[in-house]
Amino acid sequence: MILLRRLLGDVLRRQRQRQGRTLREVSSSARVSLGYLSEVERGQKEASSELLSSICDALDVRMSELMREVSDELALAELAESAKSDAVPAPMRPVLNPLSVTSVTGVPEERVTIKAPTEAVDVVAA
C-alpha cells in the first residue's frame, strides 16, 4: 500500500537536503517542533495544510511544486505496484487539448525533453 504521508515526507526531506539545511533550521523557520518535522519527513505524521504551508514557506518552495513532485512520485509508485501484481494499470488522464510545441517560446519545434524525477524522456512533436 502506498502511503501519501511517506511520499510527502520523502519529498520534503529532499527539498531540505538540496538546500543543505538542517531539520533544526527549517523547524525554527517554520515554527514547528524539530521532533514533529522529523516525524513528518519520515512519514510517521500526517501534516495539515497549515503545517505544510509553513514548511513550504520555510523552504521557499511553492506548495504546488511540492504537490507536483509528490504526485509524480505517487504515479511512479502506483506503476511499480501494478507491475508487481501484473495487473493492468489504470489508464492515465486523457489529453483533451494537446499543446502545440510551436506555442512554447525558445523550444525547437521537432523535439522537447521532459525531465522525470529519475530520468529524461524525449517527446517527439507530431
Side-chain angles (χ1 to χ4, degrees):
M1 177 170 66
I2 302 165
L3 293 177
L4 187 59
R5 68 175 185 253
R6 181 164 292 145
L7 294 174
L8 182 63
D10 290 344
V11 172
L12 283 170
R13 182 183 304 109
R14 278 197 306 271
Q15 288 285 344
R16 178 181 58 77
Q17 290 175 339
R18 282 182 201 141
Q19 296 176 15
R21 297 178 64 192
T22 65
L23 271 170
R24 187 173 308 281
E25 291 169 339
V26 175
S27 69
S28 175
S29 181
R31 297 178 187 224
V32 176
S33 76
L34 178 90
Y36 196 81
L37 180 58
S38 175
E39 288 179 310
V40 168
E41 280 193 1
R42 288 181 282 139
Q44 294 177 339
K45 294 288 183 185
E46 195 118 9
S48 67
S49 57
E50 291 86 358
L51 180 66
L52 284 176
S53 179
S54 293
I55 297 169
C56 285
D57 288 346
L59 291 170
D60 196 29
V61 173
R62 290 183 179 182
M63 193 176 309
S64 60
E65 293 173 20
L66 176 78
M67 293 307 202
R68 187 174 301 117
E69 193 170 338
V70 170
S71 176
D72 291 344
E73 293 286 327
L74 179 59
L76 291 173
E78 287 173 336
L79 286 172
E81 195 171 86
S82 69
K84 285 181 191 175
S85 66
D86 292 327
V88 177
M92 301 299 281
R93 282 183 286 187
V95 178
L96 300 177
N97 295 318
L99 294 175
S100 168
V101 175
T102 57
S103 67
V104 179
T105 307
V107 176
E109 188 172 316
E110 60 281 338
R111 184 166 279 224
V112 176
T113 299
I114 300 171
K115 289 192 177 183
T118 57
E119 63 183 331
V121 179
D122 287 331
V123 178
V124 179

